[in-house]
Coordinates of all heavy atoms in Angstrom, one line a residue:
A123 N -5.3 43.8 9.5 CA -6.6 44.0 10.1 C -7.6 44.5 9.1 O -8.8 44.3 9.3 CB -6.4 45.1 11.2
L156 N 8.8 26.7 10.4 CA 9.5 27.6 9.6 C 10.5 28.4 10.4 O 11.3 29.2 9.9 CB 8.5 28.7 9.0 CG 7.4 28.1 8.1 CD1 6.4 29.1 7.7 CD2 8.1 27.4 6.9
T160 N 9.1 27.4 16.8 CA 7.6 27.0 16.6 C 7.3 25.9 17.5 O 6.1 25.7 17.8 CB 7.5 26.6 15.1 OG1 8.5 25.6 14.8 CG2 7.6 27.8 14.2
K162 N 7.3 25.9 20.6 CA 6.6 26.4 21.8 C 5.1 26.4 21.5 O 4.3 26.5 22.6 CB 7.1 27.8 22.0 CG 8.6 27.8 22.5 CD 9.0 29.2 22.8 CE 10.5 29.3 23.3 NZ 10.9 30.6 23.8
Y167 N -0.7 16.6 21.9 CA -1.5 15.4 21.5 C -1.6 15.3 20.0 O -1.8 14.3 19.4 CB -2.9 15.4 22.0 CG -2.8 15.2 23.6 CD1 -3.2 16.2 24.4 CD2 -2.5 14.0 24.1 CE1 -3.2 16.1 25.9 CE2 -2.4 13.9 25.6 CZ -2.8 14.9 26.4 OH -2.8 14.7 27.7
Y172 N 7.1 10.8 17.6 CA 7.3 9.4 17.8 C 8.8 9.0 17.7 O 9.1 8.0 17.0 CB 6.4 8.6 16.8 CG 5.0 8.8 17.0 CD1 4.3 9.4 16.1 CD2 4.4 8.4 18.1 CE1 2.8 9.7 16.2 CE2 3.0 8.5 18.4 CZ 2.2 9.1 17.4 OH 0.8 9.3 17.6
L178 N 16.9 11.6 14.5 CA 17.6 12.6 13.6 C 18.6 13.4 14.4 O 19.7 13.6 13.9 CB 16.5 13.6 13.1 CG 16.9 14.7 12.2 CD1 17.7 14.1 10.9 CD2 15.8 15.6 11.8
F200 N 20.2 28.8 10.8 CA 19.2 29.0 9.8 C 17.8 29.1 10.4 O 17.0 30.1 10.1 CB 19.1 27.8 8.8 CG 18.0 27.9 7.8 CD1 18.0 28.8 6.8 CD2 17.0 27.0 8.0 CE1 16.9 28.8 5.9 CE2 15.9 27.0 7.1 CZ 15.9 28.0 6.0
T216 N 17.5 43.1 12.4 CA 17.6 42.1 11.4 C 16.5 42.1 10.4 O 15.4 42.3 10.8 CB 17.6 40.7 12.2 OG1 18.6 40.7 13.2 CG2 17.9 39.5 11.2
D235 N 10.1 28.1 29.3 CA 10.6 27.1 28.5 C 12.0 26.6 29.0 O 12.9 27.5 29.2 CB 10.8 27.5 27.1 CG 11.4 26.6 26.1 OD1 11.1 25.4 26.4 OD2 12.2 27.0 25.1
F332 N 26.8 -3.6 4.5 CA 25.4 -3.5 4.7 C 24.8 -2.3 3.8 O 23.8 -1.6 4.3 CB 25.0 -3.2 6.2 CG 25.5 -4.3 7.1 CD1 26.6 -4.0 7.9 CD2 24.9 -5.6 7.1 CE1 27.0 -5.1 8.8 CE2 25.4 -6.6 7.9 CZ 26.5 -6.3 8.8
R362 N 12.3 -8.2 5.2 CA 13.4 -8.2 6.2 C 12.8 -7.9 7.6 O 13.3 -8.1 8.6 CB 14.4 -7.2 5.9 CG 15.3 -7.5 4.6 CD 16.4 -6.4 4.5 NE 17.1 -6.6 3.2 CZ 18.2 -7.3 3.1 NH1 18.6 -8.0 4.1 NH2 18.8 -7.3 1.9
D377 N 18.9 -6.9 27.3 CA 19.0 -5.7 28.2 C 18.4 -6.0 29.5 O 18.9 -5.7 30.6 CB 18.5 -4.5 27.5 CG 18.9 -3.2 28.3 OD1 20.1 -2.9 28.4 OD2 18.0 -2.6 28.8
Q386 N 21.8 -8.6 40.7 CA 22.3 -9.7 41.6 C 23.8 -9.5 41.9 O 24.3 -10.4 42.6 CB 22.1 -11.0 40.8 CG 20.6 -11.4 40.8 CD 20.5 -12.9 40.3 OE1 21.3 -13.4 39.6 NE2 19.4 -13.5 40.8
F397 N 23.9 -0.2 28.8 CA 24.7 -1.1 27.9 C 24.5 -0.7 26.4 O 23.4 -0.4 26.0 CB 24.3 -2.6 28.2 CG 24.6 -3.1 29.5 CD1 23.7 -3.1 30.5 CD2 25.9 -3.7 29.6 CE1 24.1 -3.6 31.7 CE2 26.2 -4.2 30.9 CZ 25.3 -4.2 31.9
F418 N 15.0 -16.6 31.8 CA 13.8 -16.6 30.8 C 12.9 -17.8 31.1 O 11.7 -17.8 30.7 CB 14.3 -16.7 29.3 CG 15.0 -15.3 29.0 CD1 16.3 -15.2 28.8 CD2 14.0 -14.2 28.7 CE1 16.8 -13.9 28.5 CE2 14.6 -13.0 28.4 CZ 16.0 -12.8 28.2
D428 N -0.2 -16.4 34.5 CA -1.3 -15.4 34.1 C -2.3 -16.2 33.1 O -3.4 -15.9 33.3 CB -0.7 -14.2 33.4 CG 0.1 -13.4 34.4 OD1 -0.1 -13.6 35.6 OD2 1.0 -12.6 33.9
Y465 N 1.8 -7.1 14.9 CA 1.6 -5.7 15.3 C 2.8 -4.9 14.9 O 2.6 -3.7 14.4 CB 1.4 -5.7 16.9 CG 1.4 -4.3 17.5 CD1 0.2 -3.7 17.6 CD2 2.5 -3.9 18.0 CE1 0.2 -2.4 18.2 CE2 2.5 -2.5 18.6 CZ 1.4 -1.9 18.7 OH 1.4 -0.6 19.3
K480 N 5.5 8.5 1.4 CA 4.5 8.0 0.5 C 3.3 8.9 0.2 O 2.7 9.5 1.2 CB 4.0 6.6 1.1 CG 2.9 6.0 0.3 CD 2.4 4.7 1.1 CE 1.1 4.2 0.5 NZ 0.6 3.0 1.3
H491 N -3.9 2.2 -5.4 CA -5.1 1.6 -4.6 C -5.1 0.1 -4.7 O -5.2 -0.4 -5.8 CB -6.4 2.2 -5.0 CG -7.6 1.8 -4.2 ND1 -7.6 2.0 -2.8 CD2 -8.7 1.1 -4.6 CE1 -8.8 1.4 -2.4 NE2 -9.4 1.0 -3.4
S501 N 10.0 13.8 -8.2 CA 10.8 15.0 -8.7 C 11.3 15.8 -7.6 O 12.4 16.4 -7.7 CB 9.9 15.9 -9.6 OG 9.5 15.1 -10.7
P517 N 37.6 25.2 -1.4 CA 38.9 25.2 -0.8 C 39.5 26.4 -0.3 O 40.5 26.5 0.5 CB 39.8 24.8 -2.1 CG 39.0 25.1 -3.3 CD 37.6 25.0 -2.8
D555 N 20.5 -7.4 -3.3 CA 19.3 -6.9 -2.5 C 18.1 -7.3 -3.2 O 17.2 -6.5 -3.6 CB 19.4 -5.4 -2.3 CG 20.2 -5.0 -1.1 OD1 20.1 -5.8 -0.1 OD2 20.9 -4.0 -1.2
E581 N 12.8 17.9 -16.9 CA 11.5 18.6 -16.4 C 11.9 19.5 -15.2 O 11.2 20.5 -15.0 CB 10.5 17.5 -16.1 CG 10.0 16.8 -17.2 CD 9.0 15.6 -16.9 OE1 9.1 15.3 -15.7 OE2 8.3 15.1 -17.7

Side-chain angles (χ1 to χ4, degrees):
L156 300 175
T160 53
K162 295 183 179 183
Y167 293 112
Y172 295 113
L178 179 60
F200 173 74
T216 306
D235 178 35
F332 303 107
R362 296 183 186 272
D377 189 64
Q386 289 192 329
F397 291 95
F418 288 104
D428 293 339
Y465 171 87
K480 176 182 167 185
H491 181 61
S501 295
D555 275 324
E581 290 172 349

